[in-house]
Amino acid sequence: MYAPRAFAEDDLAGLDWLLARDPFATLVTSGDGGLPLATHLPVLYARDGQAVRIEGHWARANPQAAHAGPALLIVHGPHHYVSPGWYPDKAEAARVPTWNYAAAHLHGTLQLLHEESDLASIVARLGERFESAVGGQWRYDPDDERERRQLRGIVGFRFEAARIELKFKLNQNHPAANVEGAIAGLRTLPGEAAAEVAALMADRLARRDG
């Protein structure tokens, strides 16, 4: 990922925040003939210091479910268009539009999981992770033969991250007055994305001032 120094971060608290906010990631591998394969899927995230582990599963019919080895996991954060009209120096500096966003790229290795115990654990933990958010009560039942049989239709994976790239592009390369102007502009707009980007920009500006 192209990440100029002004936008690159090394504090993995940023990754914690991204995956707590949105654990629906994009997993990219190399398929037959070198063509890329990509799957969009919910993931389970765990971090112990600098060690990051991601788990999830594919449908068994997914061609990517046969891939073990190098992979890229893309974590998506909030993003929004930023108008140069929000900058006080727009005319003087000939400012142009940009797009602010936060994202992470995790490079690592995939291990395939086929054992029923591993698959049951992943399915159960995914249910625990997401059911409460929608007011649901579903839980994986290992004593239900129908649910156990459905595990045959998936392949699990464990992804160990060897290199993590964090990019929070939030106008850090602009004067503070421009950042403040963009924050104010975003806060006039409807929708969660504008509010989230404005909050991130305010946080990074406060760190700069501190």
Side-chain angles (χ1 to χ4, degrees), residues 17-187:
W17 182 83
L18 284 170
L19 278 159
R21 173 192 172 275
D22 186 0
F24 193 71
T26 302
L27 183 62
V28 182
T29 59
S30 181
D32 293 340
L35 295 175
L37 293 173
T39 300
H40 309 278
L41 72 182
V43 295
L44 296 162
Y45 169 66
R47 179 168 74 87
D48 182 6
Q50 297 297 112
V52 169
R53 171 178 289 183
I54 304 287
E55 293 174 298
H57 67 80
W58 303 276
R60 185 170 292 276
N62 187 332
Q64 196 176 58
H67 178 91
L72 165 67
L73 188 86
I74 302 173
V75 181
H76 309 277
H79 59 91
H80 209 282
Y81 174 81
V82 174
S83 169
W86 294 333
Y87 303 143
D89 68 354
K90 55 184 176 295
E92 175 189 350
R95 297 297 185 183
V96 296
T98 193
W99 206 282
N100 280 359
Y101 63 92
H105 284 193
L106 282 63
H107 304 263
T109 303
L110 282 172
Q111 173 191 354
L112 303 187
L113 303 174
H114 296 283
E115 293 294 326
E116 181 180 317
S117 58
D118 290 324
L119 299 177
S121 174
I122 289 171
V123 170
R125 285 182 287 133
L126 284 169
E128 292 168 2
R129 170 69 174 81
F130 296 110
E131 271 291 307
S132 60
V134 298
Q137 298 181 350
W138 182 87
R139 295 292 184 270
Y140 174 74
D141 183 358
D143 296 323
D144 189 329
E145 178 58 31
R146 297 168 302 172
E147 293 190 16
R148 293 179 61 190
R149 191 161 53 244
Q150 291 185 65
L151 296 177
R152 301 170 191 166
I154 63 174
V155 174
F157 67 83
R158 183 172 294 130
F159 174 87
E160 304 283 353
R163 180 164 61 93
I164 298 170
E165 300 172 297
L166 280 171
K167 183 176 182 179
F168 282 66
K169 180 182 176 294
L170 302 164
N171 282 122
Q172 295 98 319
N173 57 338
H174 277 250
N178 282 2
V179 181
E180 292 167 352
I183 291 170
L186 287 166
R187 285 176 173 167

